Amino acid sequence: MKVLIAGGAGFIGSTVASACADHGITPVILDNLATGRREFTEGRIFYEGDICDGALVDRIFAEHPDIRTAIDCAALIVVPDSVANPLGYYRENVSKGIQFLEHLVRGGCRNLLFSSSASLYRADPEDFSVDEDSPVETLSPYARTKALFETVLCDVAASGALDVVSLRYFNPIGADPRLRSGLQIRTPTHALGKMIDVHHARETFSLTGTDYPTRDGSGIRDYVHVWDLATAHVRAIERFGAITREQPYRVVNLGTGRGTTVRELVTAFESVTGVPLPVVETARRPGDSAGAYARAELAGELLGWKAEYSLEDGIRDSLRWYDRRDEVIGAGG
């Protein structure tokens, strides 16, 4: 069995590719390497190019007619960047995505797994948990691109052209446990990445936003290990027909079911490293929200999946990858 992974040279896409390979599914990678890494495609079938390049996608299906499922991980994902450059985000995450769908339909690919985001939810004001039926409240252009593209997918699925499972990721951390790949961005914008950077530089961590209506005033997130996310994709591929048999468009949360505030993340980070982390409190970033965590029962029901790795596992593997990264992608990469 083969699967086409658009964005398969990025952090999540490359980890999904590894999980597929480990389970006997051959990944075929399509990536323009805007943020992905060629090193993450080593030993795999790889096509360098854009998801909107119809001739290239046609070629992929001509050379691999046994592809029945595609995974769309190709997107821009940084919330503050989306506030500064909304046109770029709508072009990359919506316009090009629509063209990719047209290429999939032309290539006879019936099944699509879409990398969506929990950032589009309005959280329960009592405990900040959300399920797949929770209301949508998009607070950034990034989140709006995900919500808009999900609307497109729902309509396309209703037409009978594709069956779609939209996987709403919460907050990925960690790395491939075998350290084949991990976060390739050297200046991460998410909390754990910044903690790791300032920890190694012996600097101070900026806690952005301390006036949210959470239990300690800091934002709350559901930190899910990227390997858990990757194995969820494998389960979805294996069960795709059953998942979409009655509904051609399904939304599934991928999270741990546990909410962790940023202050609690600092505490967990200190417990793993054994070193205090200096913290300074600052204002919220543009487009940020209080956050949410998953009610993930549907993933168990439909995918037979639940998160296995702990928060501390994710921190530990992120630190291991930081130490290994330059060996994989080079010090100047």
Side-chain angles (χ1 to χ4, degrees):
M1 180 191 300
K2 290 179 182 174
V3 59
L4 173 61
I5 307 179
F11 171 41
I12 294 175
S14 65
T15 313
V16 171
S18 293
C20 286
D22 290 353
H23 287 82
I25 301 169
T26 301
V28 177
I29 308 303
L30 170 63
D31 201 297
N32 64 9
L33 301 183
T35 58
R37 299 294 309 193
R38 189 180 303 275
E39 295 89 343
F40 293 169
T41 70
E42 185 176 350
R44 293 175 179 160
I45 303 167
F46 172 54
Y47 293 83
E48 182 177 351
D50 209 290
I51 61 172
C52 67
D53 185 340
L56 177 58
V57 178
D58 288 348
R59 178 183 152 208
I60 292 172
F61 282 110
E63 295 178 358
H64 305 279
D66 48 343
I67 293 174
R68 294 291 177 266
T69 300
I71 303 173
D72 183 4
C73 298
L76 299 178
I77 63 171
V78 180
V79 169
D81 287 353
S82 77
V83 176
N85 182 26
L87 281 176
Y89 270 68
Y90 279 100
R91 179 183 63 249
E92 297 295 325
N93 294 1
V94 180
S95 177
K96 288 186 178 182
I98 290 171
Q99 294 176 71
F100 184 53
L101 296 181
E102 293 173 333
H103 308 329
L104 294 182
V105 171
R106 186 169 62 243
C109 182
R110 288 283 317 168
N111 302 336
L112 175 66
L113 291 174
F114 175 57
S115 299
S116 192
S117 170
S119 66
L120 51 76
Y121 283 121
R122 183 171 77 229
D124 184 320
E126 297 298 321
D127 69 355
F128 296 93
S129 66
V130 293
D131 63 20
E132 290 79 2
D133 295 320
S134 293
V136 167
E137 183 179 49
T138 52
L139 299 181
S140 69
Y142 164 68
R144 285 188 279 277
T145 66
K146 289 296 185 180
L148 179 57
F149 198 64
E150 281 200 12
T151 301
V152 173
L153 291 173
C154 186
D155 288 342
V156 171
S159 77
L162 287 171
D163 291 337
V164 181
V165 178
S166 184
L167 300 173
R168 290 181 178 169
Y169 304 164
F170 280 71
N171 296 81
I173 60 172
D176 171 10
R178 291 170 57 185
L179 301 185
R180 289 168 287 188
S181 62
L183 185 66
Q184 77 279 21
I185 305 299
R186 293 190 177 277
T187 55
T189 61
H190 64 284
L192 179 57
K194 289 188 171 183
M195 286 181 194
I196 292 172
D197 281 352
V198 300
H199 166 73
H200 285 93
R202 298 185 179 180
E203 295 175 350
T204 299
F205 172 70
S206 294
L207 197 162
T208 55
T210 59
D211 59 346
Y212 293 112
T214 59
R215 53 182 170 262
D216 61 18
S218 64
I220 193 167
R221 302 289 187 267
D222 188 333
Y223 296 102
V224 57
H225 198 292
V226 69
W227 192 253
D228 278 329
L229 284 183
T231 57
H233 288 72
V234 173
R235 301 289 178 267
I237 293 167
E238 294 171 341
R239 299 182 177 213
F240 204 102
I243 295 168
T244 59
R245 182 173 297 122
E246 296 183 3
Q247 299 180 42
Y249 178 73
R250 299 300 299 259
V251 171
V252 182
N253 283 346
L254 295 183
T256 67
R258 298 183 299 276
T260 301
T261 68
V262 180
R263 293 188 194 277
E264 292 165 348
L265 181 64
V266 170
T267 299
F269 187 84
E270 291 175 331
S271 73
V272 170
T273 62
V275 178
L277 183 71
V279 174
V280 61
E281 298 180 359
T282 64
R284 303 181 186 186
R285 301 181 307 173
D288 271 353
S289 66
Y293 67 94
R295 297 198 290 269
E297 290 81 5
L298 188 62
E301 176 186 333
L302 294 181
L303 309 183
W305 173 90
K306 68 175 181 177
E308 301 290 343
Y309 287 82
S310 69
L311 176 64
E312 289 76 13
D313 290 333
I315 295 170
R316 195 171 295 111
D317 283 342
S318 295
L319 289 163
R320 291 174 59 229
W321 168 252
Y322 182 96
D323 292 337
R324 164 82 169 151
R325 183 180 62 195
D326 287 354
E327 297 178 32
V328 178
I329 65 174

mmCIF file of all heavy atoms in Angstrom, residues 2 7 10 15 28 34 65 83 91 97 105 122 137 145 157 179 184 192 194 199 201 212 228-229 234 275 299 330:
data_model
loop_
_atom_site.group_PDB
_atom_site.id
_atom_site.type_symbol
_atom_site.label_atom_id
_atom_site.label_comp_id
_atom_site.label_asym_id
_atom_site.label_seq_id
_atom_site.Cartn_x
_atom_site.Cartn_y
_atom_site.Cartn_z
ATOM 1 N N LYS A 2 0.480 2.237 -0.815
ATOM 2 C CA LYS A 2 1.196 3.505 -0.845
ATOM 3 C C LYS A 2 0.261 4.637 -0.428
ATOM 4 O O LYS A 2 -0.949 4.573 -0.652
ATOM 5 C CB LYS A 2 1.737 3.795 -2.247
ATOM 6 C CG LYS A 2 2.875 2.904 -2.681
ATOM 7 C CD LYS A 2 3.327 3.249 -4.081
ATOM 8 C CE LYS A 2 4.449 2.321 -4.532
ATOM 9 N NZ LYS A 2 4.809 2.556 -5.952
ATOM 10 N N GLY A 7 3.624 17.738 1.952
ATOM 11 C CA GLY A 7 4.260 18.298 3.140
ATOM 12 C C GLY A 7 4.979 17.234 3.946
ATOM 13 O O GLY A 7 5.221 17.405 5.140
ATOM 14 N N GLY A 10 8.222 17.926 6.259
ATOM 15 C CA GLY A 10 8.132 18.790 7.429
ATOM 16 C C GLY A 10 8.145 17.996 8.716
ATOM 17 O O GLY A 10 8.294 16.769 8.729
ATOM 18 N N THR A 15 7.299 12.656 10.227
ATOM 19 C CA THR A 15 7.044 11.684 11.299
ATOM 20 C C THR A 15 5.928 10.732 10.897
ATOM 21 O O THR A 15 5.996 9.520 11.151
ATOM 22 C CB THR A 15 6.697 12.402 12.615
ATOM 23 O OG1 THR A 15 7.635 13.453 12.847
ATOM 24 C CG2 THR A 15 6.733 11.438 13.785
ATOM 25 N N VAL A 28 4.885 8.206 -0.214
ATOM 26 C CA VAL A 28 5.354 8.948 -1.384
ATOM 27 C C VAL A 28 5.276 10.423 -1.000
ATOM 28 O O VAL A 28 4.190 10.934 -0.714
ATOM 29 C CB VAL A 28 4.490 8.657 -2.622
ATOM 30 C CG1 VAL A 28 4.954 9.495 -3.816
ATOM 31 C CG2 VAL A 28 4.510 7.162 -2.954
ATOM 32 N N ALA A 34 9.883 24.493 1.274
ATOM 33 C CA ALA A 34 9.858 25.864 1.802
ATOM 34 C C ALA A 34 10.247 25.863 3.269
ATOM 35 O O ALA A 34 11.000 26.723 3.732
ATOM 36 C CB ALA A 34 8.478 26.473 1.607
ATOM 37 N N PRO A 65 0.190 4.392 -9.529
ATOM 38 C CA PRO A 65 -1.270 4.271 -9.644
ATOM 39 C C PRO A 65 -1.920 3.541 -8.479
ATOM 40 O O PRO A 65 -3.155 3.549 -8.366
ATOM 41 C CB PRO A 65 -1.449 3.490 -10.955
ATOM 42 C CG PRO A 65 -0.168 2.730 -11.125
ATOM 43 C CD PRO A 65 0.897 3.624 -10.568
ATOM 44 N N VAL A 83 -1.136 36.786 10.997
ATOM 45 C CA VAL A 83 -1.682 38.125 11.262
ATOM 46 C C VAL A 83 -0.957 39.158 10.405
ATOM 47 O O VAL A 83 -1.571 40.084 9.853
ATOM 48 C CB VAL A 83 -1.555 38.467 12.762
ATOM 49 C CG1 VAL A 83 -2.020 39.896 13.038
ATOM 50 C CG2 VAL A 83 -2.365 37.474 13.609
ATOM 51 N N ARG A 91 -3.412 32.147 0.407
ATOM 52 C CA ARG A 91 -2.903 31.560 -0.838
ATOM 53 C C ARG A 91 -2.392 30.142 -0.594
ATOM 54 O O ARG A 91 -2.750 29.203 -1.308
ATOM 55 C CB ARG A 91 -1.789 32.430 -1.410
ATOM 56 C CG ARG A 91 -1.203 31.861 -2.712
ATOM 57 C CD ARG A 91 -0.044 32.695 -3.239
ATOM 58 N NE ARG A 91 1.093 32.704 -2.312
ATOM 59 C CZ ARG A 91 1.497 33.759 -1.613
ATOM 60 N NH1 ARG A 91 0.859 34.913 -1.722
ATOM 61 N NH2 ARG A 91 2.537 33.673 -0.802
ATOM 62 N N GLY A 97 -4.540 24.624 -1.737
ATOM 63 C CA GLY A 97 -5.196 23.404 -1.286
ATOM 64 C C GLY A 97 -6.339 23.000 -2.189
ATOM 65 O O GLY A 97 -6.543 21.806 -2.465
ATOM 66 N N VAL A 105 -8.614 14.420 -7.332
ATOM 67 C CA VAL A 105 -9.799 13.871 -7.985
ATOM 68 C C VAL A 105 -9.441 13.387 -9.386
ATOM 69 O O VAL A 105 -9.836 12.287 -9.806
ATOM 70 C CB VAL A 105 -10.920 14.930 -8.034
ATOM 71 C CG1 VAL A 105 -12.081 14.438 -8.903
ATOM 72 C CG2 VAL A 105 -11.411 15.245 -6.625
ATOM 73 N N ARG A 122 -13.909 27.331 19.804
ATOM 74 C CA ARG A 122 -14.205 28.147 20.975
ATOM 75 C C ARG A 122 -14.332 27.199 22.153
ATOM 76 O O ARG A 122 -15.181 26.324 22.174
ATOM 77 C CB ARG A 122 -15.493 28.954 20.801
ATOM 78 C CG ARG A 122 -15.757 29.866 22.009
ATOM 79 C CD ARG A 122 -16.912 30.829 21.766
ATOM 80 N NE ARG A 122 -18.210 30.166 21.897
ATOM 81 C CZ ARG A 122 -19.186 30.256 21.018
ATOM 82 N NH1 ARG A 122 -19.009 30.941 19.890
ATOM 83 N NH2 ARG A 122 -20.335 29.653 21.207
ATOM 84 N N GLU A 137 -14.600 29.294 16.725
ATOM 85 C CA GLU A 137 -14.329 30.721 16.920
ATOM 86 C C GLU A 137 -12.885 30.967 16.489
ATOM 87 O O GLU A 137 -11.944 30.725 17.242
ATOM 88 C CB GLU A 137 -14.528 31.129 18.380
ATOM 89 C CG GLU A 137 -14.323 32.615 18.621
ATOM 90 C CD GLU A 137 -14.542 32.982 20.082
ATOM 91 O OE1 GLU A 137 -13.979 32.298 20.967
ATOM 92 O OE2 GLU A 137 -15.293 33.938 20.330
ATOM 93 N N THR A 145 -8.050 30.098 7.922
ATOM 94 C CA THR A 145 -7.734 29.298 6.740
ATOM 95 C C THR A 145 -8.095 27.834 6.954
ATOM 96 O O THR A 145 -8.593 27.167 6.042
ATOM 97 C CB THR A 145 -6.244 29.398 6.339
ATOM 98 O OG1 THR A 145 -5.409 28.822 7.344
ATOM 99 C CG2 THR A 145 -5.837 30.833 6.070
ATOM 100 N N ALA A 157 -16.718 16.522 -0.184
ATOM 101 C CA ALA A 157 -17.112 15.178 0.245
ATOM 102 C C ALA A 157 -18.600 14.938 -0.007
ATOM 103 O O ALA A 157 -19.001 13.852 -0.439
ATOM 104 C CB ALA A 157 -16.777 14.987 1.720
ATOM 105 N N LEU A 179 14.551 9.361 16.370
ATOM 106 C CA LEU A 179 15.283 10.571 15.999
ATOM 107 C C LEU A 179 15.642 10.619 14.512
ATOM 108 O O LEU A 179 16.656 11.170 14.116
ATOM 109 C CB LEU A 179 16.545 10.743 16.854
ATOM 110 C CG LEU A 179 16.316 10.848 18.370
ATOM 111 C CD1 LEU A 179 17.625 11.132 19.082
ATOM 112 C CD2 LEU A 179 15.276 11.927 18.704
ATOM 113 N N GLN A 184 12.333 21.049 12.666
ATOM 114 C CA GLN A 184 13.473 21.526 11.891
ATOM 115 C C GLN A 184 13.656 23.040 11.969
ATOM 116 O O GLN A 184 14.686 23.568 11.547
ATOM 117 C CB GLN A 184 13.317 21.099 10.425
ATOM 118 C CG GLN A 184 12.335 21.922 9.597
ATOM 119 C CD GLN A 184 10.883 21.516 9.814
ATOM 120 O OE1 GLN A 184 10.532 20.912 10.812
ATOM 121 N NE2 GLN A 184 10.026 21.856 8.864
ATOM 122 N N LEU A 192 7.187 25.335 24.032
ATOM 123 C CA LEU A 192 8.237 24.378 24.379
ATOM 124 C C LEU A 192 9.506 24.646 23.581
ATOM 125 O O LEU A 192 10.622 24.586 24.129
ATOM 126 C CB LEU A 192 7.755 22.945 24.158
ATOM 127 C CG LEU A 192 8.790 21.857 24.465
ATOM 128 C CD1 LEU A 192 9.300 21.957 25.908
ATOM 129 C CD2 LEU A 192 8.204 20.472 24.206
ATOM 130 N N LYS A 194 10.610 27.446 22.472
ATOM 131 C CA LYS A 194 11.281 28.611 23.045
ATOM 132 C C LYS A 194 11.944 28.265 24.378
ATOM 133 O O LYS A 194 13.036 28.760 24.685
ATOM 134 C CB LYS A 194 10.290 29.761 23.212
ATOM 135 C CG LYS A 194 9.875 30.378 21.886
ATOM 136 C CD LYS A 194 9.049 31.633 22.108
ATOM 137 C CE LYS A 194 8.819 32.367 20.798
ATOM 138 N NZ LYS A 194 8.084 33.633 20.972
ATOM 139 N N HIS A 199 16.770 27.678 27.447
ATOM 140 C CA HIS A 199 17.447 26.776 28.377
ATOM 141 C C HIS A 199 18.902 26.583 27.950
ATOM 142 O O HIS A 199 19.824 26.684 28.783
ATOM 143 C CB HIS A 199 16.720 25.439 28.425
ATOM 144 C CG HIS A 199 17.479 24.328 29.071
ATOM 145 N ND1 HIS A 199 17.678 24.251 30.426
ATOM 146 C CD2 HIS A 199 18.100 23.235 28.529
ATOM 147 C CE1 HIS A 199 18.386 23.163 30.712
ATOM 148 N NE2 HIS A 199 18.647 22.528 29.576
ATOM 149 N N ALA A 201 20.606 28.520 25.905
ATOM 150 C CA ALA A 201 21.303 29.808 25.862
ATOM 151 C C ALA A 201 21.451 30.439 27.245
ATOM 152 O O ALA A 201 22.074 31.490 27.373
ATOM 153 C CB ALA A 201 20.559 30.766 24.946
ATOM 154 N N TYR A 212 -5.398 35.312 31.015
ATOM 155 C CA TYR A 212 -6.462 34.463 30.488
ATOM 156 C C TYR A 212 -7.306 33.908 31.632
ATOM 157 O O TYR A 212 -6.821 33.751 32.767
ATOM 158 C CB TYR A 212 -5.866 33.295 29.697
ATOM 159 C CG TYR A 212 -5.164 33.697 28.424
ATOM 160 C CD1 TYR A 212 -3.784 33.573 28.307
ATOM 161 C CD2 TYR A 212 -5.879 34.187 27.336
ATOM 162 C CE1 TYR A 212 -3.129 33.931 27.133
ATOM 163 C CE2 TYR A 212 -5.233 34.548 26.166
ATOM 164 C CZ TYR A 212 -3.856 34.422 26.077
ATOM 165 O OH TYR A 212 -3.210 34.773 24.915
ATOM 166 N N ASP A 228 2.536 10.005 18.654
ATOM 167 C CA ASP A 228 1.131 9.643 18.828
ATOM 168 C C ASP A 228 0.301 10.163 17.659
ATOM 169 O O ASP A 228 -0.567 9.450 17.129
ATOM 170 C CB ASP A 228 0.590 10.209 20.146
ATOM 171 C CG ASP A 228 0.922 9.347 21.356
ATOM 172 O OD1 ASP A 228 1.014 8.117 21.206
ATOM 173 O OD2 ASP A 228 1.094 9.904 22.456
ATOM 174 N N LEU A 229 0.535 11.410 17.238
ATOM 175 C CA LEU A 229 -0.162 11.935 16.068
ATOM 176 C C LEU A 229 0.096 11.065 14.846
ATOM 177 O O LEU A 229 -0.822 10.752 14.076
ATOM 178 C CB LEU A 229 0.302 13.366 15.765
ATOM 179 C CG LEU A 229 -0.197 14.515 16.623
ATOM 180 C CD1 LEU A 229 0.350 15.831 16.073
ATOM 181 C CD2 LEU A 229 -1.712 14.548 16.667
ATOM 182 N N VAL A 234 -1.797 6.430 10.823
ATOM 183 C CA VAL A 234 -1.750 5.041 10.373
ATOM 184 C C VAL A 234 -3.085 4.358 10.647
ATOM 185 O O VAL A 234 -3.636 3.659 9.782
ATOM 186 C CB VAL A 234 -0.597 4.293 11.058
ATOM 187 C CG1 VAL A 234 -0.645 2.799 10.726
ATOM 188 C CG2 VAL A 234 0.747 4.890 10.656
ATOM 189 N N VAL A 275 16.762 21.690 36.053
ATOM 190 C CA VAL A 275 17.344 23.029 36.133
ATOM 191 C C VAL A 275 16.217 24.051 36.165
ATOM 192 O O VAL A 275 15.289 23.965 35.354
ATOM 193 C CB VAL A 275 18.257 23.309 34.920
ATOM 194 C CG1 VAL A 275 18.821 24.729 34.980
ATOM 195 C CG2 VAL A 275 19.378 22.288 34.850
ATOM 196 N N ALA A 299 -11.797 9.722 18.707
ATOM 197 C CA ALA A 299 -10.607 9.095 18.129
ATOM 198 C C ALA A 299 -10.487 7.646 18.585
ATOM 199 O O ALA A 299 -10.081 6.773 17.811
ATOM 200 C CB ALA A 299 -9.360 9.881 18.519
ATOM 201 N N GLY A 330 22.430 19.398 9.646
ATOM 202 C CA GLY A 330 23.596 20.276 9.517
ATOM 203 C C GLY A 330 23.476 21.519 10.377
ATOM 204 O O GLY A 330 22.375 22.053 10.570
#
